[in-house]
Amino acid sequence: VQLQASGGGLVQAGGSLRLSCAASGRTFSSYNMGWFRQAPGKEREFVAAISWSGDWLYYADSVKGRFTISRDNAKNTVYLQMNNLKPEDTALHYCAAARRPITTMTSVDYWGRGTQVTVSS
């Protein structure tokens, strides 16, 4: 599975962005998908995950109520809608795919290249 993330950019605090991650391959619908992020000088951290069917969602406490993960299996794409962005959300955001439920980096089978999100105060 090859993953290509897009949609990052520069936004003011309180603003919104929608990240997309397009996957190649015919088995996308069988993978659990997730988003992670890494800020400068910090470790990569979990953000959100969605099951292959879309009926199981999981979020980091820091983004609950502000971010929404979703997927369109017909388009081989997973999304991350980010609202009420804060400067601490500034990071390189990565999408991920796994056969197992995604909650940590060790559960990930495939990584995409990151897309930069920068939130100004």
Side-chain angles (χ1 to χ4, degrees), residues 14 24 53 68 102:
S24 65
S53 62
T68 302
I102 296 176

Side-chain angles (χ1 to χ4, degrees), residues 21-84:
C21 177
S24 65
R26 295 174 290 178
T27 59
F28 172 78
S29 60
S30 65
Y31 280 87
N32 299 307
M33 301 296 296
W35 290 94
F36 289 74
R37 66 187 182 187
Q38 187 167 17
K42 294 187 176 181
E43 294 185 351
R44 193 173 299 187
E45 63 176 8
F46 169 80
V47 175
I50 185 168
S51 62
W52 64 271
S53 62
D55 61 1
W56 180 86
L57 309 176
Y58 187 62
Y59 297 95
D61 287 343
S62 58
V63 306
K64 279 181 182 177
R66 301 188 298 123
F67 291 11
T68 302
I69 189 170
S70 61
R71 67 189 295 160
D72 185 337
N73 286 343
K75 295 182 178 180
N76 281 12
T77 303
V78 62
Y79 305 97
L80 186 67
Q81 178 66 43
M82 305 184 294
N83 298 330
N84 191 22

Side-chain angles (χ1 to χ4, degrees), residues 92-103:
L92 198 56
H93 284 64
Y94 298 88
C95 63
R99 292 289 191 183
R100 295 162 289 180
I102 296 176
T103 54

